[in-house]
Amino acid sequence: METQNVKMVVTGPFSAGKTAFVQSISEIEVVSTERRISSEAEQIKEATTVAMDFGRITIDDDLVLYLFGTPGQRRFDFMWEILAQGMLGFVVLVDSSKPETFREAKSILETFRAYAPTPYVVSANKQDLPDAWDLDDLRIALRLDESVKLLPCVATDKESVKKVLLELLYAILEEMEEKE
Amino acid sequence: MKGNLEHFSPTQILNLVSLSKKSGTLDVNRKGRKAALSFKDGKLIFVSMEDADGSLTSVLSKAGRITREQADVLAKHAEKHGDKQLGLLMIQKGYITRNDIVQAIKRHALASVNEFANWNSGDFIFDQARQIGDDRIIVPLDLENIIIQIARAQKRDEQLEEEIPSLDVCLKFADKSKINIKELQLSKEEWSVIRYVKPENTIRMIAKSLNLSDRDIRRVVGSLREAGLVELMQVRQREKLSVEEKQEKKALVGRLIARIQNI
Ligand SMILES: Nc1nc2c(ncn2[C@@H]2O[C@H](COP(=O)(O)OP(=O)(O)OP(=O)(O)O)[C@@H](O)[C@H]2O)c(=O)[nH]1
Ligand SMILES: [Mg+2]
């Protein structure tokens, strides 16, 4: 029997922690198409993702889950639609300590929702940082409906990433129940 | 100086006129839609944009200061004696203050020039010799400020395109909006959009019914969202799965869950 591939997408603004998220859970070293940041303005970290991050979790002999991290910078957003095709669901990561990126996070969320009507969760990343916003405040700032799952996360911590992915999978099941 | 807005944008023209402190009139023809902007020493002094011809009566009636009927009568007077004379007469009779007139003309000029800034094609001619008639009331406006305002509006429009990438989504009232809609101060356009907010109407359909451009409907929806009144709602093209397909998908998701739990 042929191996079946399924995919989920991890998206969010620049530097939200997408690469870290995929890296934490992937069984392979994340095949990242990073490149060193050239412009001064974005010199807050060493590398940014330009095409996608590519992580893998082997489920069993004939099922593989791929995790794709999108590039966070809009100038690479031609990749988004391609990545969105056929995904089971998606995670929107937000850096909870950077309110200046919340608007962009919401806009990315809307863009992905328009690409595909799949379930999604929003993940409040970097909750370990002292100035991370509370979930309740973040929900208001991002204007998220109560029905949208907003989950705390520390992308560098595997257990935390597991929880987010599981919640997304539960959301997919719940949505199927709803449709019955 | 002549050309087409495709190659030289409205903002570029305004910038040029402002920097070189030109005087004269810019006439633009965009497939029969006409605009005329007059400048003196690099300042905008008069705008006529399609039917809004910039005359005192049209400006005041647009601003709701006089009725259509009054405007018709007054326009006849202005035809003979000019806008300046009419303005003076109205001030003397206590209909209106000087400041009201200045504000109404300013608002008309700003609205028109903002509209003009969005034209992306059309033949233009700048005629340095053509000045507007002496009978017009002139309110000189600094172009620098206008250009900044235009840039701001354009930036906002770009943001709105990102926030509302697709017009094929529906609107719904925000769940938590405990706001009493009747007490809100909304614009006429906002009210008309509010009336169409229904799960079955996409933004595109609403725009079509109200004859609003993509940009204008985005602006209205954007401000309603900003106010926390409405939310975008995806038209879920529900995947039509057969019973077996659904079982299969559930089983697949179940396998993913089991595996991830054990990583
Ligand atoms: N403290 C803390 N730091 C984090 C967390 N997640 C990511 N980071 C750090 O944040 C920075 C950005 O993380 P990346 O994973 O590169 O972010 P990205 O979203 O892939 O960024 P782009 O690809 O450039 O859009 C890195 O220095 C990470 O180590 C977290 O949960 N807590
Ligand atoms: Mg990255």
Side-chain angles (χ1 to χ4, degrees), chain A residues 4 6 25 57-60 62-63 65 74 88 103-104 106-107 110-111 113-114 117-118 143 145-146 158 162 166 169-170 172-173 175-177 179-180, chain B residues 156 159 162-163 165-166 169 172 175-176 225-226 228 231-239 241 246 249-250 252-257 259-263:
Chain A
Q4 194 182 354
V6 289
I25 192 114
I57 302 170
T58 305
I59 305 300
D60 49 37
D62 42 39
L63 181 59
L65 170 65
R74 281 240 172 225
L88 270 182
R103 184 191 263 275
E104 173 73 356
K106 184 69 195 248
S107 151
E110 301 289 3
T111 307
R113 276 205 331 178
T118 60
R143 281 196 228 102
D145 198 273
E146 268 166 73
K158 185 163 88 181
K162 268 170 67 176
L166 285 169
L169 289 163
Y170 297 145
I172 295 169
L173 281 183
E175 201 223 25
M176 279 195 283
E177 316 267 277
K179 283 186 189 165
E180 265 163 24
Chain B
R156 177 79 190 118
Q159 279 178 353
E162 289 179 3
E163 282 170 33
S166 162
V169 297
K172 62 169 186 179
D175 296 339
K176 283 171 286 183
R225 281 181 83 202
E226 201 99 295
E231 285 170 2
L232 302 187
M233 198 173 74
Q234 235 46 51
V235 231
R236 292 236 157 186
Q237 306 127 350
R238 298 190 161 227
E239 280 180 281
L241 295 181
K246 201 175 271 176
K249 190 172 172 189
K250 272 191 195 168
L252 182 139
V253 175
R255 277 154 80 195
L256 295 175
I257 291 173
R259 171 76 178 101
I260 290 174
Q261 279 170 340
N262 289 313
I263 286 179

Side-chain angles (χ1 to χ4, degrees), chain B residues 37-99:
Chain B
L37 292 86
S38 294
F39 305 89
K40 187 153 200 290
D41 303 327
K43 288 191 181 192
L44 181 69
I45 52 170
F46 191 79
V47 194
S48 113
M49 184 82 188
E50 307 196 86
D51 348 323
D53 64 7
S55 66
L56 182 60
T57 48
S58 91
V59 166
L60 291 177
S61 104
K62 191 105 186 267
R65 301 300 310 227
I66 52 175
T67 65
R68 278 282 300 279
E69 294 72 29
Q70 288 171 322
D72 288 344
V73 177
L74 294 172
K76 291 221 176 72
H77 180 97
E79 236 168 71
K80 266 198 213 134
H81 307 284
D83 276 356
K84 268 188 193 154
Q85 221 260 3
L86 174 64
L88 276 176
L89 193 71
M90 290 177 79
I91 294 168
Q92 277 164 8
K93 300 260 174 198
Y95 277 122
I96 204 163
T97 66
R98 193 179 170 278
N99 188 43

Side-chain angles (χ1 to χ4, degrees), chain A residues 31-44:
Chain A
V31 185
S32 193
T33 36
E34 303 241 309
R35 74 155 195 231
R36 295 183 69 80
I37 293 172
S38 44
S39 94
E40 293 257 345
E42 287 149 358
Q43 226 8 308
I44 51 168

Side-chain angles (χ1 to χ4, degrees), chain A residues 19 34 49 53:
Chain A
T19 302
E34 303 241 309
T49 303
D53 304 313

Side-chain angles (χ1 to χ4, degrees), chain B:
Chain B
M1 183 171 84
K2 60 199 237 179
N4 193 293
L5 296 180
E6 269 178 76
H7 311 116
F8 205 66
S9 75
T11 356
Q12 282 175 311
I13 297 179
L14 295 178
N15 241 324
L16 182 83
V17 171
S18 168
L19 288 174
S20 56
K21 301 207 186 314
K22 282 192 194 310
S23 300
T25 296
L26 176 77
D27 276 298
V28 188
N29 189 331
R30 185 196 192 187
K31 292 190 201 129
R33 298 172 64 190
K34 286 184 176 147
L37 292 86
S38 294
F39 305 89
K40 187 153 200 290
D41 303 327
K43 288 191 181 192
L44 181 69
I45 52 170
F46 191 79
V47 194
S48 113
M49 184 82 188
E50 307 196 86
D51 348 323
D53 64 7
S55 66
L56 182 60
T57 48
S58 91
V59 166
L60 291 177
S61 104
K62 191 105 186 267
R65 301 300 310 227
I66 52 175
T67 65
R68 278 282 300 279
E69 294 72 29
Q70 288 171 322
D72 288 344
V73 177
L74 294 172
K76 291 221 176 72
H77 180 97
E79 236 168 71
K80 266 198 213 134
H81 307 284
D83 276 356
K84 268 188 193 154
Q85 221 260 3
L86 174 64
L88 276 176
L89 193 71
M90 290 177 79
I91 294 168
Q92 277 164 8
K93 300 260 174 198
Y95 277 122
I96 204 163
T97 66
R98 193 179 170 278
N99 188 43
D100 288 337
I101 293 182
V102 170
Q103 291 309 324
I105 291 180
K106 233 183 186 170
R107 223 168 296 138
H108 155 78
L110 286 176
S112 308
V113 81
N114 266 308
E115 180 62 39
F116 168 64
N118 289 304
W119 285 20
N120 47 17
S121 69
D123 292 318
F124 68 81
I125 297 185
F126 189 84
D127 183 352
Q128 310 224 29
R130 217 179 103 205
Q131 297 292 335
I132 55 154
D134 279 344
D135 54 324
R136 296 294 193 188
I137 299 172
I138 281 172
V139 180
L141 293 174
D142 260 334
L143 279 176
E144 284 106 347
N145 287 332
I146 295 176
I147 293 165
I148 291 170
Q149 281 191 28
I150 290 172
R152 241 183 242 147
Q154 285 174 343
K155 183 101 204 287
R156 177 79 190 118
D157 286 336
E158 278 167 24
Q159 279 178 353
L160 281 171
E161 269 187 42
E162 289 179 3
E163 282 170 33
I164 312 173
S166 162
L167 295 181
D168 297 307
V169 297
C170 300
L171 292 173
K172 62 169 186 179
F173 289 108
D175 296 339
K176 283 171 286 183
S177 83
K178 296 192 189 81
I179 307 156
N180 186 350
I181 288 213
K182 292 201 184 87
E183 283 172 12
L184 284 175
Q185 302 236 328
L186 299 178
S187 72
K188 223 163 84 191
E189 273 178 348
E190 285 165 344
W191 276 122
S192 47
V193 170
I194 286 272
R195 265 184 293 159
Y196 281 95
V197 173
K198 284 194 192 106
E200 60 271 24
N201 289 346
T202 65
I203 299 181
R204 195 180 301 286
M205 284 155 67
I206 299 176
K208 205 163 170 222
S209 314
L210 295 171
N211 208 5
L212 292 175
S213 67
D214 286 6
R215 188 194 75 221
D216 289 342
I217 190 78
R218 275 198 172 87
R219 285 182 179 174
V220 176
V221 172
S223 65
L224 292 175
R225 281 181 83 202
E226 201 99 295
L229 282 178
V230 300
E231 285 170 2
L232 302 187
M233 198 173 74
Q234 235 46 51
V235 231
R236 292 236 157 186
Q237 306 127 350
R238 298 190 161 227
E239 280 180 281
K240 283 252 160 35
L241 295 181
S242 69
V243 181
E244 290 111 64
E245 282 169 329
K246 201 175 271 176
Q247 283 311 323
E248 218 168 274
K249 190 172 172 189
K250 272 191 195 168
L252 182 139
V253 175
R255 277 154 80 195
L256 295 175
I257 291 173
R259 171 76 178 101
I260 290 174
Q261 279 170 340
N262 289 313
I263 286 179

Side-chain angles (χ1 to χ4, degrees), chain A residues 138-161:
Chain A
L138 205 60
R139 184 179 285 282
I140 295 169
L142 291 170
R143 281 196 228 102
L144 294 178
D145 198 273
E146 268 166 73
S147 60
V148 178
K149 287 187 187 175
L150 175 63
L151 313 157
C153 181
V154 176
T156 43
D157 170 35
K158 185 163 88 181
E159 287 308 312
S160 174
V161 171

